[in-house]
Amino acid sequence: LAGRISNSTELALNALYSPAYTLASSLIEEEITHDTSLKERLQVFPSLASRLRSNPLLSSIFIAYEDGDFFIVRALYREHDNRALNAPPQTAFIVQSIEHTSRGKVGKLLFYNKELTQINERRIDDDPFDPRTRSWYSEAMQKESVFSTPPYRFFATKDLGVSIVRR
């Protein structure tokens, strides 16, 4: 019985994680991993939003850069998500971006409805988050393969989850 439970649990976890592993592996081939500005990174936003829609178990796609920049596309599936992130009504997706420019750090939250039309924008230049300080980032810099983190509290939403990570 214990063996069947173990096999069943392993199959269920593989089914849960497999789409995220595939996505993490495929993103490395896309231009967004080399783009240097929000304008360039936003070109792939519709594709990333579509990938999140196709798998509601994924809450966000996070791309971190060696200079501390980051680009996140987050799907808001629950009213709790909207409240936790102080999103305007009708928000279906949030793009969060931090860029380090010659003028300093530029942070933005862009709010989109389900038709992917931007409905609001906020500056967040004082955002203290730096992905390079996170353990998953350090581990990714040392590995070539996709891996998952142990469960932890996400910085923005405080939800408990895991990250599927690839350098």
Side-chain angles (χ1 to χ4, degrees):
L1 179 62
R4 283 195 308 221
I5 292 172
S6 175
N7 288 342
S8 177
T9 302
E10 184 176 348
L11 288 172
L13 285 174
N14 285 339
L16 180 67
Y17 283 19
S18 181
Y21 272 72
T22 300
L23 176 59
S25 293
S26 69
L27 279 176
I28 198 69
E29 304 299 324
E30 297 195 20
E31 278 300 309
I32 192 165
T33 59
H34 306 289
D35 289 340
T36 59
S37 72
L38 176 58
K39 183 178 179 180
E40 292 172 332
R41 294 167 184 161
L42 282 172
Q43 297 301 309
V44 77
F45 165 63
S47 171
L48 298 179
S50 175
R51 291 173 184 186
L52 288 170
R53 278 186 178 141
S54 70
N55 190 343
L57 294 176
L58 298 176
S59 62
S60 65
I61 298 172
F62 185 113
I63 301 165
Y65 299 87
E66 290 182 6
D67 64 356
D69 285 7
F70 63 86
F71 181 83
I72 304 170
V73 177
R74 181 174 284 116
L76 302 185
Y77 301 117
R78 307 167 298 170
E79 185 59 34
H80 162 77
D81 297 331
N82 291 56
R83 282 193 310 273
L85 298 166
N86 197 22
Q90 309 304 313
T91 300
F93 295 93
I94 296 176
V95 170
Q96 182 177 356
S97 172
I98 295 290
E99 292 178 280
H100 293 82
T101 70
S102 59
R103 299 180 315 274
K105 187 163 79 168
V106 178
K108 290 187 179 182
L109 286 174
L110 308 174
F111 300 88
Y112 293 85
N113 64 18
K114 63 183 177 183
E115 290 83 25
L116 304 185
T117 302
Q118 187 176 333
I119 57 175
N120 201 334
E121 178 177 324
R122 291 189 198 132
R123 294 288 300 256
I124 53 166
D125 297 339
D126 60 345
D127 188 331
F129 184 77
D130 184 336
R132 298 170 296 181
T133 66
R134 309 302 274 183
S135 60
W136 53 259
Y137 184 92
S138 300
E139 189 173 348
M141 292 298 102
Q142 298 170 16
K143 291 185 173 184
E144 291 294 326
S145 61
V146 178
F147 65 94
S148 61
T149 65
Y152 68 97
R153 293 254 174 234
F154 292 139
F155 185 84
T157 63
K158 308 302 183 232
D159 286 337
L160 187 62
V162 298
S163 290
I164 308 301
V165 184
R166 172 107 200 296
R167 179 178 179 191

